[in-house]
Amino acid sequence: MAKWECLVCGYVYDPDEGDPDNGIEPGTAFEDLPDDWVCPECGAGKDMFEQMD
């Protein structure tokens, strides 16, 4: 699964790790994150993330 980078702060969402501190289980694809999920570092919305190569 692809990693996604926050364009605001540089945080990288790795689907293999998820975001357990915010209830996102490992193995959760970026596309499957809830619409109201925000960057755990800066609070930016999903629309501020870009898929990494």
Side-chain angles (χ1 to χ4, degrees), residues 6 8-12 19 21-22 37-44 49:
C6 178
V8 177
C9 73
Y11 168 82
V12 174
D19 182 14
D21 292 342
N22 292 297
W37 181 85
V38 296
C39 176
E41 297 292 320
C42 72
F49 279 73

Side-chain angles (χ1 to χ4, degrees), residues 1-44:
M1 283 188 275
K3 295 180 182 180
W4 291 72
E5 181 178 13
C6 178
L7 299 175
V8 177
C9 73
Y11 168 82
V12 174
Y13 175 76
D14 182 348
D16 292 334
E17 296 178 10
D19 182 14
D21 292 342
N22 292 297
I24 306 300
E25 295 293 322
T28 303
F30 185 83
E31 296 82 1
D32 295 333
L33 292 171
D35 290 337
D36 61 352
W37 181 85
V38 296
C39 176
E41 297 292 320
C42 72

